[in-house]
Amino acid sequence: HSTVVSVPIGVDYDRIQRMASDPALPAEAARLKELFALKAPLIGLGVDRLDYTKGIPERLAALDLFMTRRPDLRGQLTFVQIGVPSRSSLESYAAVEHEIARTVEALNARHQVPGGAPLVVLSTTALNAFSLTALYRLAHFCVVSSLHDGMNLVAKEFVAARDDDRGVLVLSAMAGAAQELQEALIINPYDVDEFAGALDAAVAMPDADQARRMRAMRKIV
């Protein structure tokens, strides 16, 4: 006699928690700030495999529309996109990689202010768990805009790293994690207008609201 139990895949919460409270974390955050030349007061973050299911072009389109609506944020906001190359030998993946790099270049040219921070920093270097935790802590908001994802553990890692009860998760309804993390700002990644609106809401969200949502999500994770 056997029983089937549905257990949504999770992250090693305790391990991420330990890294988040590690005394060496601020130094790692400072190192990353220097590495990516982050001088903007607002930091957004995306961590994905460079894979067409992750919705990175859709995310960049929403960022473009958001900055067009909020020119006051030019030079004030940098979105860090960690894109780990995935199966790059396959032509379609190489094409995605190329498209993303080209789009980032165009966005930076369109929204730059003299001497201001670039809008998007793209890095294709895989970071270890400790560096990622530091990056999660630097971010004011984290975007998971998958077009299709069984779960998406980045969403859960970001929440697990935020024992400061700050930060906003912008999460695609197409990711399995959206079933559990309902206090995130849930978006349809194909709806650029709605997506851009969620980025605006993420940047403007008061601390108390951030804390309430993050605490609720942390309980679940």
Side-chain angles (χ1 to χ4, degrees):
H1 181 71
S2 60
T3 314
V4 176
V5 182
S6 161
V7 183
I9 187 168
V11 294
D12 190 340
Y13 185 84
D14 296 337
R15 177 169 173 255
I16 295 172
Q17 201 61 69
R18 274 198 303 278
M19 290 190 289
S21 54
D22 191 312
L25 199 77
E28 180 57 14
R31 186 187 75 83
L32 291 167
K33 268 186 138 160
E34 204 161 304
L35 175 69
F36 296 128
L38 300 178
K39 51 182 181 178
L42 280 171
I43 304 294
L45 177 64
V47 180
D48 309 83
R49 283 201 326 277
L50 285 181
D51 177 321
Y52 58 83
T53 64
K54 298 299 179 188
I56 301 171
E58 288 74 10
R59 175 182 317 178
L60 295 172
L63 199 55
D64 186 21
L65 178 58
F66 168 52
M67 292 306 284
T68 303
R69 290 176 180 169
R70 294 287 309 269
D72 56 303
L73 288 176
R74 286 179 180 168
Q76 301 298 303
L77 166 72
T78 294
F79 189 84
V80 180
Q81 177 61 56
I82 306 292
V84 183
S86 129
R87 318 176 177 100
S88 298
S89 54
L90 292 173
E91 227 164 87
S92 64
Y93 289 95
V96 168
E97 237 171 290
H98 185 67
E99 179 197 347
I100 289 166
R102 230 184 29 234
T103 306
V104 164
E105 221 170 287
L107 285 190
N108 283 338
R110 189 175 315 146
H111 299 291
Q112 75 184 15
V113 284
L119 175 58
V120 184
V121 171
L122 177 64
S123 172
T124 52
T125 313
L127 295 176
N128 65 27
F130 189 63
S131 298
L132 265 182
T133 301
L135 208 47
Y136 288 139
R137 289 298 291 257
L138 275 176
H140 292 82
F141 62 96
C142 179
V143 179
V144 172
S145 57
S146 322
L147 307 180
H148 176 79
D149 228 328
M151 174 54 71
N152 190 289
L153 294 179
V154 166
K156 290 189 169 184
E157 286 173 0
F158 174 65
V159 169
R162 298 310 296 246
D163 64 352
D164 59 343
D165 290 337
R166 287 290 174 277
V168 181
L169 177 61
V170 178
L171 179 59
S172 165
M174 320 285 182
Q179 305 296 314
E180 296 179 78
L181 304 179
Q182 293 178 4
E183 292 295 331
L185 296 179
I186 310 278
I187 50 119
N188 169 359
Y190 293 106
D191 185 338
V192 184
D193 188 54
E194 178 191 271
F195 198 157
L199 296 178
D200 204 6
V203 166
M205 191 180 290
D207 288 355
D209 200 13
Q210 288 182 36
R212 180 185 60 75
R213 287 169 179 267
M214 192 51 82
R215 278 198 287 267
M217 290 191 289
R218 283 173 62 77
K219 274 199 185 86
I220 289 161
V221 172

